[in-house]
Every structure is written in C-alpha cells, then in structure tokens.
Amino acid sequence: MTTTTRVGLATCSALPALHDDDRPLLDALARRGAEAEAVVWDDPDVDWAAYDLVVVRSTWDYSPRRDEFVAWARSVPRLANPADAIAWNTDKGYMRVLEDAGVPVIPTIWLDPERHLSKRAVHTRMPAFGDFVVKPVVSAGAKDTGRYQPVSARSRALAIMHAKDLLDSGRAVMIQPYVTSVDTSGETCLVFVDGEPQHAVRKSALLTGPSRDDVPAYLREEMEPARADDEQVAVATRALEVASRELGLTRPLLYARVDLVTREDGTPTVIELELTEPSLWLQHADRAGTLDAFADAIVERAR
C-alpha cells in the first residue's frame, strides 16, 4: 500500500484558495504524486500534523498579529522554512545582523517605543536632506509605510506624525533614506530555491507619498522578468549565507527572495530579505524552471 505525500500550502483567510501566483504549485505537486491543498494558517480546525510538510505562502495578514503567527509556526510539526527563520525574518531588525556582517544594506535609524520619544526627538532623528521612508519594523508589503520630503514642512510634519503614531501604538520604527534609483530602475528581486538562484524580476516603485489608512493590505505590484548580474547574485547569496549562519541552519532554506536596489555608486544593496511568505512570481519564471525546482524541493523535503 502506497502512502500519498500530503503538503499544506499555508495562506490567509482573504486568499483561501491561494494567490494566483501560487496556484500552479497545486498541479505541479500533483504531477509528482503529492496531494497539496491551500490551508488558512489561523483556522483552528486544521490538523497541521496531518501534513508531511507545510509551506508558508500567502499568509499576508500576519503583521498585526505577529506573535500569534510565530506561535503558530512553532506549533507546526514539519514547517518549511523553519519557525526560527520566520521569527527572525518577520522583524526587520534582522537588517542589523546583515549590516554587522558587511552585507550592503540601506542605512537605518531605529526608533524604540520604550524610549517614549517626543515629537521634537523624532524630528531631530529624521534626515535633513533627500527623501526618506518611515515604516514599522514589523510590517508586510507597503502597509503603514510612507515616503516624505525633508524640504517640505508639511511633509516633514506628516512624517513625524506617522512615526509618533507607530511608536505610541507600541511599534518600533525604521527611518531610511529613499533610494532614488527605485524610481527609474525599480527593485531587482532574486528568487532562490534550496539555496540556488532561480530567476529575477524587476519591481516598480510602490511608494509615492505619505502613509495612508486606505492602502490595501495586498498592493498589486508591477513587475517584469529581469536578469541579475554577477554582483547582484553575489550580494544576495551573501545575505542568505549570513542568515543561515545566524539561524544555525544545516541546510539551505527551501525558498527565499532577496530584494535589491542600487546605490548612487552602483553597489547592489539589500532592501529586504524575504524568508517568510514572499511572492516568488512563478508566472515570470517559465524559462528558468523555478516552478519545477520548487515543486521538486517540496516533495523531497516532505518525504
């Protein structure tokens, strides 16, 4: 008697049938003899132990409930990527680890809510020149993130209000210079499976102004296939090596995405390291074979 490999693809209640980009995984896994299904991560009726492997995909509602999400990840018997990676990666403080290891990252000013900073104290920590970004340390997509101009008194006031509102709600804050190459070249996002680079896409700029309450939870991103150069691949690979060492991993992560921008001096720079629930943009990867590589890796780990 043969036993069918069962794979759970974790998603959120807003996308119970998975995001469009992930649905091809269902057929790809079926062709390999695996029974895969979309499962909402916070559904209390799910028996997670019934799956040979659970792969986090479009769980994009986790950020307001990060502690609950991490506790869920720790409760899943067989999870890829591991719960420790999810706990580490869902707090953007991981950027400090990358920076300390010499990986080029966006320079960041960190504001801690426990310091109870005044508006004036927040003001003095904001850049005097060049557009800058204010965002929470725990967030998904561009939610609660805004772009501001220091030369505009109104824009600067909105930035201070944005940062204070986040701090007053108990959320740590990041302030970063806005990398202007994003407006012309976008971000280059490299997708890895089992530690190997698979394909890249170019993502257009999302931030055009201050944070707004009416920003949807899942912004539609504009992207196109791209080709990463050797220097970009080297920086992305280095970032993943640092993450693996920090987490004490003995094998590569099942999946990862490294988002890069280009500094004025041409240096590829990490703006985001996505190890939790990144879009892999499989529809842009037919020639690169990412879907097949991903399905093969899932089945191998589920055995």
Side-chain angles (χ1 to χ4, degrees), residues 15 74 80 93 96 139 162 168 170 179 189 202 216 236 262 273 280 294:
L15 297 165
R74 297 197 188 282
R96 297 180 178 183
S139 65
H162 179 189
D168 290 346
V179 180
C189 308
R202 182 162 292 109
T262 303
L273 179 61
L280 300 180
F294 195 25

Side-chain angles (χ1 to χ4, degrees), residues 189-210:
C189 308
L190 284 71
V191 173
F192 288 73
V193 172
D194 251 349
E196 295 296 325
Q198 295 293 324
H199 72 278
V201 299
R202 182 162 292 109
K203 182 169 63 173
S204 300
L206 287 176
L207 295 180
T208 56

Side-chain angles (χ1 to χ4, degrees), residues 137-221:
V137 170
V138 177
S139 65
K143 190 70 173 173
D144 298 322
T145 299
R147 174 181 173 182
Y148 302 95
Q149 297 80 39
V151 295
S152 163
R154 181 176 181 276
S155 183
R156 196 171 184 85
L158 288 173
I160 295 168
M161 184 183 304
H162 179 189
K164 276 292 289 176
D165 286 347
L166 291 171
L167 291 167
D168 290 346
S169 67
R171 303 172 73 182
V173 172
M174 305 167 68
I175 301 175
Q176 297 177 319
Y178 183 81
V179 180
T180 56
S181 66
V182 174
D183 291 333
T184 54
S185 303
E187 299 175 23
T188 301
C189 308
L190 284 71
V191 173
F192 288 73
V193 172
D194 251 349
E196 295 296 325
Q198 295 293 324
H199 72 278
V201 299
R202 182 162 292 109
K203 182 169 63 173
S204 300
L206 287 176
L207 295 180
T208 56
S211 174
R212 304 194 320 271
D213 292 336
D214 61 347
V215 173
Y218 319 120
L219 285 175
R220 184 173 181 83
E221 297 170 315

